[in-house]
Amino acid sequence: MPLLIKDYNFSSLGSLGDTVGGFLNPIIAISAAMLTFLAFYIQYQANIQVQKQFLKQQYDDSINFEYNKLKERIYLIINEVDNFNVAFHEGKLISKLNEIPKTGGKKYNFSGVQGLNLFLIEYFRDKKEKEKNKDFKFDDSFHSVALNINNLLILFYNAHITIMDSSLKEPYHNELIELLAYVYYFKIGFLVEHYIKNDPSGKLFEQIIVLKNYYSTEPEK
């Protein structure tokens, strides 16, 4: 080999090195640039993936928040119905503390759906008698309780509309619709019937008809 030859002229290797370097340097530079680009591209894709995961987490959190808030509203209605209490003495609904008997006679307490039903029967009967005798007063304790029941119907109506218009995922949406149906049929459907029978007026009547039409197998026309 030339390198092992004692009298070999090593000065010729300079031009060879320049030739090899001139040939390899662009290849190395291009390879380095490609590797750098690839590293940046991989990092870019990773950032996009992280951003997508973050946005998905935000979306899921917002959906869960909306779902939980709507579910809380429905359970609030259930609790309001279940915790409703009225008392009767000698067939008369007790609406004031001074009407509670001190002695004699038995006081009967009713709660939940049964209490609401009995209250509305007495309320509308009493209201008609007082209106007939021109003795109805808006500060009457019966009327105050009735206004709370009105608010209960409005609360259910608002929950119904919000859930129907929501963009919740199908499992969440279906679960809330089933829960609404349960509340209507087993908790407040009879309230709707009471108010329709006694001809409510104004916006409440319109809302009641919407509920009646949706949950009834024979919609009102």
Side-chain angles (χ1 to χ4, degrees):
M1 294 180 64
L3 294 177
L4 299 178
I5 299 174
K6 183 177 180 181
D7 296 330
Y8 183 76
N9 185 7
F10 290 96
S11 62
S12 62
L13 292 177
S15 59
L16 178 63
D18 292 340
T19 301
V20 173
F23 176 76
L24 292 179
N25 284 343
I27 297 176
I28 294 173
I30 292 173
S31 299
M34 291 180 64
L35 289 174
T36 302
F37 170 78
L38 183 61
F40 278 114
Y41 180 76
I42 293 174
Q43 183 63 44
Y44 171 74
Q45 291 295 326
N47 290 340
I48 290 178
Q49 192 64 29
V50 170
Q51 186 178 21
K52 286 182 178 179
Q53 291 176 351
F54 176 73
L55 292 175
K56 183 179 182 301
Q57 185 63 45
Q58 276 191 322
Y59 174 76
D60 290 342
D61 289 344
S62 66
I63 291 295
N64 289 334
F65 177 79
E66 182 182 4
Y67 164 76
N68 289 328
K69 295 301 291 184
L70 289 170
K71 197 170 184 178
E72 285 177 8
R73 287 168 64 178
I74 298 175
Y75 277 109
L76 175 63
I77 297 170
I78 294 174
N79 289 334
E80 287 291 323
V81 172
D82 291 344
N83 292 326
F84 184 86
N85 290 280
V86 292
F88 281 81
H89 173 62
E90 295 182 350
K92 181 181 178 182
L93 180 64
I94 299 173
S95 62
K96 298 178 182 178
L97 290 176
N98 59 10
E99 293 177 346
I100 298 177
K102 295 181 180 179
T103 58
K106 188 174 182 180
K107 181 168 69 75
Y108 295 91
N109 296 314
F110 299 92
S111 61
V113 172
Q114 187 181 29
L116 277 167
N117 188 44
L118 291 173
F119 171 82
L120 288 177
I121 291 173
E122 288 296 310
Y123 168 73
F124 285 119
R125 179 190 61 78
D126 184 71
K127 183 172 180 288
K128 287 179 181 178
E129 289 182 0
K130 289 183 177 180
E131 286 177 341
K132 184 178 179 180
N133 298 326
K134 298 182 179 180
D135 190 33
F136 180 74
K137 298 179 181 179
F138 281 102
D139 60 351
D140 186 277
S141 56
F142 277 17
H143 187 68
S144 299
V145 176
L147 288 178
N148 289 333
I149 297 175
N150 290 0
N151 291 334
L152 192 63
L153 284 169
I154 294 171
L155 183 63
F156 181 84
Y157 171 82
N158 290 337
H160 168 85
I161 294 299
T162 302
I163 290 171
M164 293 304 165
D165 293 340
S166 70
S167 58
L168 291 171
K169 294 179 180 178
E170 187 173 349
Y172 293 150
H173 192 254
N174 291 343
E175 181 182 345
L176 291 177
I177 289 176
E178 290 177 2
L179 190 55
L180 280 175
Y182 162 77
V183 175
Y184 183 86
Y185 293 122
F186 295 99
K187 298 293 180 180
I188 68 166
F190 72 96
L191 297 179
V192 170
E193 299 299 332
H194 270 297
Y195 278 84
I196 289 177
K197 180 180 178 181
N198 290 279
D199 193 26
S201 59
K203 194 167 184 178
L204 177 60
F205 181 75
E206 296 175 5
Q207 294 173 349
I208 285 174
I209 292 301
V210 170
L211 296 175
K212 174 72 173 178
N213 287 343
Y214 181 84
Y215 292 101
S216 176
T217 54
E218 297 180 2
E220 295 283 322
K221 295 183 180 180

